[in-house]
Amino acid sequence: MLKIGIIGCGKIAQVRHIPEYLSNEHAQIIAFHDRTRERAEKLATKHGGKVYQSYHELLEDREIDAVSVCVANHLHARVTIDALQAGKHVLCEKPMATTIEDCEAMVVTAKTAEKKLVVGHNQLLTPAHKRAKALIDQGLIGEILTFRTTFGHGGPENWSIDPGPGTWFFDKEAAAMGAIGDLGVHKIYLIQHLTGQRITEVTAKLTTLNKKGSSGQPILLDDNALCIFGMESGIVGTMMASWTYYGAEDNSTILYGTKGIMRIYDHPQYAIAVTLKSGESIYYDLESIQTNEEQSKSGVIDTFIESILEDKETELSGEKALDSMRAVFASIESAQTNKTTKVV
Ligand SMILES: NC(=O)c1ccc[n+]([C@@H]2O[C@H](COP(=O)([O-])OP(=O)(O)OC[C@H]3O[C@@H](n4cnc5c(N)ncnc54)[C@H](O)[C@@H]3O)[C@@H](O)[C@H]2O)c1
């Protein structure tokens, strides 16, 4: 049985990490920490386990094998590195960290410590994305020529456990990135996975169209990010990440291949809808993706536990997350310089 500590007891810990550890027969949560101590205490009372005043104290508990890092973005690297050095396996939430140097340091530290580092890229594990990958690899739509991928919703200020315009998601220091790091990174990860190709260059526009902080002034982060990606083989596609899609969430990806078109989470009824060049249509009725309002089991925690128990790397490894973060940082640079930027 792996003994787990939860660092950061906010929304994602409560709706995903904790329930999914509780339903995993190889895991037992034994420790909680949050800067709002009562939040950790409430969870410990409900589920059992000890509350620690600081994450450092939690990491000193030798009984703990692994931790979930579910705090604000700017703390991901520091907490993850400390945890790995304390001999814990780490499941860190996305975006991996706020600088490329920190992302690299996390990967190196995991290697040196010989501990698993997994990053919470749940999109890869949804039934439709898994099936889409298999169908693409079988050649259903031929060679992918271009794509359009989108992740947009009404913003994180109603999602956070501390909601409102004062949310840390709107604080440049704590979040570091807006929609590009919060939502764009999911689609960057996904599109590299589905196409089997790395993003090699980006032309991006990052804007702040509508979100205001508690001062009433526009936030200092992007609430919309539009990117044109050039891929390894020379194909191009677009990604839109938005915090201002008021109404229904858009989590769609459309892939245009030499033999047909695949629409994922785009059709009102079917998770995948394929129209072939021949005119034939094929529909796949699969479970819908998690939305802010409706959470289903993500599979991220099971993947983390399995990677520890079977000592194997997974599709959610630190290295893969680092690769996606390179495209995130290149997008930010492209927007700042108004130039197409190589992903190094
Ligand atoms: N994989 C996904 O789809 C997904 C979805 C939502 C959030 N996330 C990520 O999860 C992380 C947490 O987001 P959330 O939605 O739970 O936010 P949240 O605002 O609901 O909760 C954050 C929690 O962290 C605590 N915290 C902040 N700073 C802390 C510190 N210094 N020490 C201890 N605790 C601290 C806060 O008190 C709060 O309880 C973020 O990095 C976010 O990007 C990932």
Side-chain angles (χ1 to χ4, degrees), residues 171-224:
D171 174 0
K172 194 170 170 62
E173 203 182 308
M177 293 163 266
I180 185 75
D182 187 41
L183 305 181
V185 70
H186 276 299
K187 290 308 183 191
I188 287 172
Y189 206 98
L190 179 72
I191 209 68
Q192 294 198 129
H193 176 70
L194 291 179
T195 59
Q197 295 186 40
R198 290 192 67 237
I199 297 166
T200 52
E201 61 171 41
V202 190
T203 313
K205 179 94 181 163
L206 271 57
T207 57
T208 311
L209 299 177
N210 189 246
K211 293 296 182 198
K212 294 186 174 60
S214 36
S215 67
Q217 293 302 307
I219 60 170
L220 300 175
L221 297 161
D222 56 289
D223 61 17
N224 280 271

Short mmCIF file of all heavy atoms in Angstrom, two decimals, residues 171-224:
data_model
loop_
_atom_site.label_atom_id
_atom_site.label_comp_id
_atom_site.label_asym_id
_atom_site.label_seq_id
_atom_site.Cartn_x
_atom_site.Cartn_y
_atom_site.Cartn_z
N ASP A 171 -3.39 36.25 -10.62
CA ASP A 171 -2.23 36.94 -10.05
C ASP A 171 -0.99 36.54 -10.84
O ASP A 171 -0.62 35.37 -10.87
CB ASP A 171 -2.12 36.52 -8.57
CG ASP A 171 -0.87 37.06 -7.90
OD1 ASP A 171 -0.08 37.77 -8.56
OD2 ASP A 171 -0.69 36.75 -6.72
N LYS A 172 -0.36 37.52 -11.47
CA LYS A 172 0.76 37.22 -12.37
C LYS A 172 1.88 36.47 -11.64
O LYS A 172 2.51 35.57 -12.19
CB LYS A 172 1.31 38.50 -13.00
CG LYS A 172 2.24 38.22 -14.18
CD LYS A 172 2.55 39.51 -14.91
CE LYS A 172 3.66 39.36 -15.93
NZ LYS A 172 3.39 38.44 -17.03
N GLU A 173 2.11 36.84 -10.39
CA GLU A 173 3.20 36.20 -9.65
C GLU A 173 2.89 34.73 -9.34
O GLU A 173 3.73 33.85 -9.53
CB GLU A 173 3.43 36.96 -8.35
CG GLU A 173 4.84 36.74 -7.82
CD GLU A 173 5.04 37.47 -6.51
OE1 GLU A 173 4.74 38.68 -6.46
OE2 GLU A 173 5.47 36.82 -5.56
N ALA A 174 1.67 34.45 -8.93
CA ALA A 174 1.30 33.08 -8.53
C ALA A 174 1.00 32.17 -9.73
O ALA A 174 1.31 30.98 -9.72
CB ALA A 174 0.10 33.11 -7.60
N ALA A 175 0.39 32.75 -10.76
CA ALA A 175 -0.02 31.92 -11.91
C ALA A 175 1.03 31.94 -13.03
O ALA A 175 1.19 30.94 -13.74
CB ALA A 175 -1.36 32.42 -12.45
N ALA A 176 1.69 33.07 -13.20
CA ALA A 176 2.73 33.28 -14.21
C ALA A 176 2.20 33.27 -15.64
O ALA A 176 2.69 33.99 -16.50
CB ALA A 176 3.87 32.28 -14.08
N MET A 177 1.21 32.41 -15.91
CA MET A 177 0.65 32.32 -17.26
C MET A 177 -0.87 32.35 -17.15
O MET A 177 -1.41 31.88 -16.15
CB MET A 177 1.05 30.98 -17.89
CG MET A 177 2.52 30.87 -18.17
SD MET A 177 2.98 29.15 -18.44
CE MET A 177 3.49 28.68 -16.82
N GLY A 178 -1.53 32.84 -18.17
CA GLY A 178 -2.99 32.85 -18.17
C GLY A 178 -3.52 31.63 -18.89
O GLY A 178 -3.12 30.49 -18.60
N ALA A 179 -4.41 31.87 -19.86
CA ALA A 179 -5.07 30.76 -20.57
C ALA A 179 -4.05 29.84 -21.26
O ALA A 179 -4.26 28.63 -21.36
CB ALA A 179 -6.05 31.32 -21.59
N ILE A 180 -2.93 30.40 -21.72
CA ILE A 180 -1.94 29.57 -22.43
C ILE A 180 -1.39 28.48 -21.51
O ILE A 180 -1.19 27.34 -21.95
CB ILE A 180 -0.80 30.43 -23.03
CG1 ILE A 180 0.17 29.59 -23.88
CG2 ILE A 180 0.00 31.18 -21.98
CD1 ILE A 180 -0.34 29.19 -25.21
N GLY A 181 -1.13 28.81 -20.25
CA GLY A 181 -0.56 27.81 -19.33
C GLY A 181 -1.63 26.97 -18.67
O GLY A 181 -1.41 25.82 -18.33
N ASP A 182 -2.80 27.57 -18.48
CA ASP A 182 -3.88 26.86 -17.79
C ASP A 182 -4.56 25.86 -18.73
O ASP A 182 -4.77 24.69 -18.36
CB ASP A 182 -4.90 27.88 -17.26
CG ASP A 182 -5.95 27.24 -16.39
OD1 ASP A 182 -5.59 26.35 -15.58
OD2 ASP A 182 -7.15 27.60 -16.50
N LEU A 183 -4.91 26.31 -19.94
CA LEU A 183 -5.66 25.47 -20.86
C LEU A 183 -4.84 25.07 -22.09
O LEU A 183 -4.91 23.93 -22.55
CB LEU A 183 -6.93 26.20 -21.32
CG LEU A 183 -7.84 26.70 -20.19
CD1 LEU A 183 -9.08 27.39 -20.76
CD2 LEU A 183 -8.26 25.56 -19.27
N GLY A 184 -4.04 26.03 -22.59
CA GLY A 184 -3.26 25.75 -23.80
C GLY A 184 -2.33 24.57 -23.63
O GLY A 184 -2.18 23.74 -24.54
N VAL A 185 -1.72 24.45 -22.46
CA VAL A 185 -0.76 23.37 -22.26
C VAL A 185 -1.40 21.99 -22.43
O VAL A 185 -0.78 21.05 -22.92
CB VAL A 185 -0.04 23.49 -20.89
CG1 VAL A 185 -0.97 23.20 -19.74
CG2 VAL A 185 1.18 22.58 -20.83
N HIS A 186 -2.68 21.90 -22.06
CA HIS A 186 -3.40 20.62 -22.24
C HIS A 186 -3.44 20.25 -23.73
O HIS A 186 -3.25 19.10 -24.12
CB HIS A 186 -4.85 20.76 -21.77
CG HIS A 186 -5.04 20.56 -20.30
ND1 HIS A 186 -4.73 19.39 -19.65
CD2 HIS A 186 -5.57 21.38 -19.35
CE1 HIS A 186 -5.06 19.49 -18.37
NE2 HIS A 186 -5.55 20.69 -18.16
N LYS A 187 -3.75 21.26 -24.55
CA LYS A 187 -3.94 20.97 -25.98
C LYS A 187 -2.60 20.80 -26.70
O LYS A 187 -2.50 20.06 -27.68
CB LYS A 187 -4.78 22.08 -26.62
CG LYS A 187 -6.22 22.07 -26.17
CD LYS A 187 -6.86 20.70 -26.34
CE LYS A 187 -8.31 20.68 -25.97
NZ LYS A 187 -8.91 19.35 -25.89
N ILE A 188 -1.58 21.49 -26.21
CA ILE A 188 -0.23 21.31 -26.76
C ILE A 188 0.21 19.87 -26.52
O ILE A 188 0.69 19.18 -27.42
CB ILE A 188 0.74 22.32 -26.13
CG1 ILE A 188 0.46 23.73 -26.69
CG2 ILE A 188 2.20 21.91 -26.33
CD1 ILE A 188 1.23 24.85 -26.01
N TYR A 189 0.00 19.42 -25.29
CA TYR A 189 0.34 18.03 -24.93
C TYR A 189 -0.42 17.06 -25.82
O TYR A 189 0.14 16.11 -26.37
CB TYR A 189 -0.06 17.81 -23.47
CG TYR A 189 0.72 16.74 -22.74
CD1 TYR A 189 1.78 17.09 -21.93
CD2 TYR A 189 0.39 15.40 -22.84
CE1 TYR A 189 2.50 16.13 -21.23
CE2 TYR A 189 1.09 14.43 -22.15
CZ TYR A 189 2.15 14.81 -21.34
OH TYR A 189 2.86 13.86 -20.65
N LEU A 190 -1.72 17.34 -25.97
CA LEU A 190 -2.59 16.43 -26.73
C LEU A 190 -2.22 16.39 -28.20
O LEU A 190 -2.14 15.31 -28.80
CB LEU A 190 -4.05 16.88 -26.57
CG LEU A 190 -5.06 16.03 -27.34
CD1 LEU A 190 -5.22 14.65 -26.70
CD2 LEU A 190 -6.41 16.73 -27.43
N ILE A 191 -1.97 17.56 -28.79
CA ILE A 191 -1.76 17.58 -30.25
C ILE A 191 -0.43 16.91 -30.60
O ILE A 191 -0.31 16.25 -31.63
CB ILE A 191 -1.91 19.01 -30.82
CG1 ILE A 191 -2.41 18.95 -32.27
CG2 ILE A 191 -0.66 19.83 -30.75
CD1 ILE A 191 -3.80 18.45 -32.46
N GLN A 192 0.57 17.07 -29.73
CA GLN A 192 1.85 16.38 -29.99
C GLN A 192 1.64 14.87 -29.90
O GLN A 192 2.20 14.11 -30.66
CB GLN A 192 2.92 16.84 -28.99
CG GLN A 192 3.30 18.31 -29.16
CD GLN A 192 4.62 18.70 -28.52
OE1 GLN A 192 5.47 19.30 -29.15
NE2 GLN A 192 4.81 18.38 -27.26
N HIS A 193 0.78 14.45 -28.97
CA HIS A 193 0.50 13.03 -28.78
C HIS A 193 -0.29 12.47 -29.98
O HIS A 193 0.08 11.45 -30.56
CB HIS A 193 -0.30 12.87 -27.49
CG HIS A 193 -0.76 11.49 -27.19
ND1 HIS A 193 0.12 10.49 -26.82
CD2 HIS A 193 -2.00 10.93 -27.20
CE1 HIS A 193 -0.56 9.37 -26.61
NE2 HIS A 193 -1.84 9.61 -26.83
N LEU A 194 -1.35 13.17 -30.39
CA LEU A 194 -2.20 12.64 -31.46
C LEU A 194 -1.47 12.61 -32.81
O LEU A 194 -1.62 11.67 -33.59
CB LEU A 194 -3.48 13.48 -31.60
CG LEU A 194 -4.49 13.39 -30.45
CD1 LEU A 194 -5.69 14.29 -30.72
CD2 LEU A 194 -4.95 11.95 -30.21
N THR A 195 -0.68 13.66 -33.08
CA THR A 195 0.01 13.70 -34.37
C THR A 195 1.30 12.89 -34.33
O THR A 195 1.86 12.55 -35.38
CB THR A 195 0.39 15.15 -34.77
OG1 THR A 195 1.24 15.69 -33.74
CG2 THR A 195 -0.83 16.04 -34.94
N GLY A 196 1.79 12.60 -33.12
CA GLY A 196 3.07 11.89 -33.00
C GLY A 196 4.24 12.78 -33.41
O GLY A 196 5.32 12.29 -33.76
N GLN A 197 4.01 14.09 -33.38
CA GLN A 197 5.06 15.03 -33.81
C GLN A 197 5.24 16.14 -32.77
O GLN A 197 4.26 16.58 -32.17
CB GLN A 197 4.65 15.71 -35.12
CG GLN A 197 4.53 14.78 -36.29
CD GLN A 197 4.26 15.56 -37.57
OE1 GLN A 197 4.83 16.62 -37.79
NE2 GLN A 197 3.43 15.01 -38.42
N ARG A 198 6.46 16.62 -32.66
CA ARG A 198 6.72 17.77 -31.79
C ARG A 198 6.37 19.07 -32.52
O ARG A 198 6.48 19.15 -33.75
CB ARG A 198 8.21 17.83 -31.42
CG ARG A 198 8.65 16.74 -30.47
CD ARG A 198 10.03 17.03 -29.91
NE ARG A 198 10.03 18.20 -29.03
CZ ARG A 198 10.77 19.28 -29.20
NH1 ARG A 198 11.61 19.37 -30.22
NH2 ARG A 198 10.73 20.28 -28.35
N ILE A 199 5.96 20.04 -31.73
CA ILE A 199 5.79 21.40 -32.27
C ILE A 199 7.20 21.98 -32.39
O ILE A 199 7.97 21.94 -31.43
CB ILE A 199 4.93 22.26 -31.31
CG1 ILE A 199 3.52 21.67 -31.20
CG2 ILE A 199 4.90 23.72 -31.76
CD1 ILE A 199 2.70 22.24 -30.05
N THR A 200 7.55 22.49 -33.57
CA THR A 200 8.90 23.00 -33.76
C THR A 200 8.96 24.53 -33.85
O THR A 200 9.98 25.13 -33.60
CB THR A 200 9.55 22.41 -35.02
OG1 THR A 200 8.65 22.60 -36.11
CG2 THR A 200 9.85 20.94 -34.84
N GLU A 201 7.81 25.15 -34.23
CA GLU A 201 7.79 26.62 -34.20
C GLU A 201 6.38 27.14 -33.94
O GLU A 201 5.39 26.46 -34.23
CB GLU A 201 8.37 27.22 -35.49
CG GLU A 201 7.64 26.85 -36.74
CD GLU A 201 8.13 27.63 -37.94
OE1 GLU A 201 9.35 27.83 -38.07
OE2 GLU A 201 7.28 28.06 -38.74
N VAL A 202 6.32 28.32 -33.37
CA VAL A 202 5.04 28.91 -32.96
C VAL A 202 4.95 30.36 -33.40
O VAL A 202 5.92 31.11 -33.26
CB VAL A 202 4.92 28.93 -31.42
CG1 VAL A 202 3.50 29.31 -31.00
CG2 VAL A 202 5.32 27.64 -30.78
N THR A 203 3.76 30.73 -33.88
CA THR A 203 3.43 32.15 -34.05
C THR A 203 2.20 32.38 -33.18
O THR A 203 1.16 31.75 -33.40
CB THR A 203 3.09 32.47 -35.52
OG1 THR A 203 4.09 31.88 -36.36
CG2 THR A 203 3.04 33.97 -35.76
N ALA A 204 2.34 33.24 -32.18
CA ALA A 204 1.25 33.34 -31.20
C ALA A 204 0.84 34.77 -30.94
O ALA A 204 1.63 35.71 -31.05
CB ALA A 204 1.69 32.71 -29.88
N LYS A 205 -0.43 34.91 -30.59
CA LYS A 205 -0.98 36.19 -30.14
C LYS A 205 -1.64 35.91 -28.78
O LYS A 205 -2.55 35.09 -28.69
CB LYS A 205 -2.02 36.67 -31.16
CG LYS A 205 -2.66 37.97 -30.80
CD LYS A 205 -1.94 39.12 -31.46
CE LYS A 205 -2.56 40.44 -31.08
NZ LYS A 205 -1.66 41.56 -31.35
N LEU A 206 -1.16 36.57 -27.75
CA LEU A 206 -1.74 36.42 -26.41
C LEU A 206 -2.36 37.75 -26.02
O LEU A 206 -1.67 38.79 -26.11
CB LEU A 206 -0.67 36.02 -25.38
CG LEU A 206 -0.40 34.50 -25.18
CD1 LEU A 206 -0.02 33.82 -26.47
CD2 LEU A 206 0.67 34.27 -24.14
N THR A 207 -3.63 37.72 -25.62
CA THR A 207 -4.30 38.99 -25.33
C THR A 207 -5.10 38.92 -24.03
O THR A 207 -5.40 37.84 -23.54
CB THR A 207 -5.31 39.36 -26.45
OG1 THR A 207 -6.25 38.29 -26.56
CG2 THR A 207 -4.65 39.59 -27.77
N THR A 208 -5.41 40.10 -23.51
CA THR A 208 -6.29 40.19 -22.33
C THR A 208 -7.52 40.96 -22.77
O THR A 208 -7.48 42.19 -22.93
CB THR A 208 -5.58 40.93 -21.17
OG1 THR A 208 -4.28 40.34 -21.02
CG2 THR A 208 -6.35 40.79 -19.87
N LEU A 209 -8.60 40.26 -23.02
CA LEU A 209 -9.77 40.88 -23.64
C LEU A 209 -10.83 41.29 -22.62
O LEU A 209 -11.54 42.27 -22.83
CB LEU A 209 -10.41 39.90 -24.64
CG LEU A 209 -9.54 39.45 -25.80
CD1 LEU A 209 -10.28 38.43 -26.66
CD2 LEU A 209 -9.12 40.65 -26.65
N ASN A 210 -10.94 40.54 -21.53
CA ASN A 210 -12.12 40.75 -20.70
C ASN A 210 -11.94 40.58 -19.19
O ASN A 210 -12.70 41.13 -18.41
CB ASN A 210 -13.20 39.76 -21.20
CG ASN A 210 -14.54 40.00 -20.59
OD1 ASN A 210 -15.06 39.18 -19.83
ND2 ASN A 210 -15.14 41.14 -20.90
N LYS A 211 -10.93 39.84 -18.77
CA LYS A 211 -10.83 39.52 -17.34
C LYS A 211 -10.24 40.69 -16.54
O LYS A 211 -9.24 41.29 -16.95
CB LYS A 211 -9.94 38.29 -17.12
CG LYS A 211 -10.54 37.00 -17.66
CD LYS A 211 -11.80 36.62 -16.94
CE LYS A 211 -12.34 35.31 -17.48
NZ LYS A 211 -13.75 35.10 -17.14
N LYS A 212 -10.87 40.93 -15.39
CA LYS A 212 -10.40 42.00 -14.51
C LYS A 212 -10.13 41.43 -13.13
O LYS A 212 -10.85 40.53 -12.66
CB LYS A 212 -11.45 43.11 -14.42
CG LYS A 212 -11.64 43.82 -15.75
CD LYS A 212 -12.56 45.01 -15.64
CE LYS A 212 -12.62 45.80 -16.93
NZ LYS A 212 -13.11 45.05 -18.08
N GLY A 213 -9.09 41.93 -12.47
CA GLY A 213 -8.76 41.49 -11.12
C GLY A 213 -9.61 42.23 -10.09
O GLY A 213 -10.52 42.98 -10.45
N SER A 214 -9.28 42.04 -8.81
CA SER A 214 -10.13 42.65 -7.78
C SER A 214 -10.04 44.18 -7.78
O SER A 214 -10.93 44.86 -7.29
CB SER A 214 -9.81 42.08 -6.40
OG SER A 214 -8.46 41.83 -6.27
N SER A 215 -8.97 44.72 -8.38
CA SER A 215 -8.85 46.19 -8.47
C SER A 215 -9.77 46.77 -9.55
O SER A 215 -9.94 47.98 -9.65
CB SER A 215 -7.40 46.55 -8.83
OG SER A 215 -7.14 46.09 -10.16
N GLY A 216 -10.36 45.89 -10.36
CA GLY A 216 -11.19 46.36 -11.46
C GLY A 216 -10.40 46.61 -12.73
O GLY A 216 -10.94 46.88 -13.79
N GLN A 217 -9.07 46.46 -12.62
CA GLN A 217 -8.20 46.66 -13.79
C GLN A 217 -8.02 45.32 -14.53
O GLN A 217 -8.09 44.26 -13.91
CB GLN A 217 -6.81 47.14 -13.34
CG GLN A 217 -6.80 48.53 -12.73
CD GLN A 217 -7.35 49.57 -13.69
OE1 GLN A 217 -6.90 49.67 -14.83
NE2 GLN A 217 -8.35 50.33 -13.26
N PRO A 218 -7.75 45.38 -15.85
CA PRO A 218 -7.49 44.14 -16.59
C PRO A 218 -6.35 43.34 -15.95
O PRO A 218 -5.39 43.94 -15.44
CB PRO A 218 -7.08 44.63 -17.99
CG PRO A 218 -7.67 45.99 -18.10
CD PRO A 218 -7.68 46.57 -16.71
N ILE A 219 -6.46 42.04 -15.93
CA ILE A 219 -5.40 41.22 -15.35
C ILE A 219 -4.14 41.31 -16.22
O ILE A 219 -4.21 41.67 -17.40
CB ILE A 219 -5.83 39.73 -15.19
CG1 ILE A 219 -6.21 39.11 -16.56
CG2 ILE A 219 -6.97 39.61 -14.19
CD1 ILE A 219 -6.40 37.61 -16.50
N LEU A 220 -3.01 41.00 -15.62
CA LEU A 220 -1.73 41.13 -16.33
C LEU A 220 -1.34 39.80 -16.99
O LEU A 220 -0.17 39.52 -17.22
CB LEU A 220 -0.64 41.59 -15.36
CG LEU A 220 -0.92 42.94 -14.70
CD1 LEU A 220 0.14 43.26 -13.66
CD2 LEU A 220 -1.01 44.06 -15.74
N LEU A 221 -2.34 38.98 -17.26
CA LEU A 221 -2.11 37.67 -17.89
C LEU A 221 -3.02 37.55 -19.10
O LEU A 221 -4.04 38.25 -19.17
CB LEU A 221 -2.46 36.55 -16.90
CG LEU A 221 -1.62 36.48 -15.63
CD1 LEU A 221 -2.34 35.67 -14.57
CD2 LEU A 221 -0.27 35.85 -15.94
N ASP A 222 -2.70 36.64 -20.00
CA ASP A 222 -3.55 36.44 -21.17
C ASP A 222 -4.85 35.73 -20.77
O ASP A 222 -4.83 34.75 -20.04
CB ASP A 222 -2.81 35.60 -22.23
CG ASP A 222 -2.34 34.26 -21.68
OD1 ASP A 222 -1.40 34.27 -20.86
OD2 ASP A 222 -2.92 33.21 -22.03
N ASP A 223 -5.97 36.23 -21.29
CA ASP A 223 -7.22 35.47 -21.12
C ASP A 223 -7.61 34.79 -22.44
O ASP A 223 -8.57 34.02 -22.49
CB ASP A 223 -8.35 36.30 -20.51
CG ASP A 223 -8.75 37.52 -21.34
OD1 ASP A 223 -8.40 37.58 -22.53
OD2 ASP A 223 -9.41 38.43 -20.78
N ASN A 224 -6.86 35.07 -23.49
CA ASN A 224 -7.03 34.39 -24.77
C ASN A 224 -5.67 34.19 -25.42
O ASN A 224 -4.86 35.13 -25.42
CB ASN A 224 -7.92 35.20 -25.72
CG ASN A 224 -9.40 35.03 -25.41
OD1 ASN A 224 -10.05 34.13 -25.92
ND2 ASN A 224 -9.91 35.87 -24.51
#
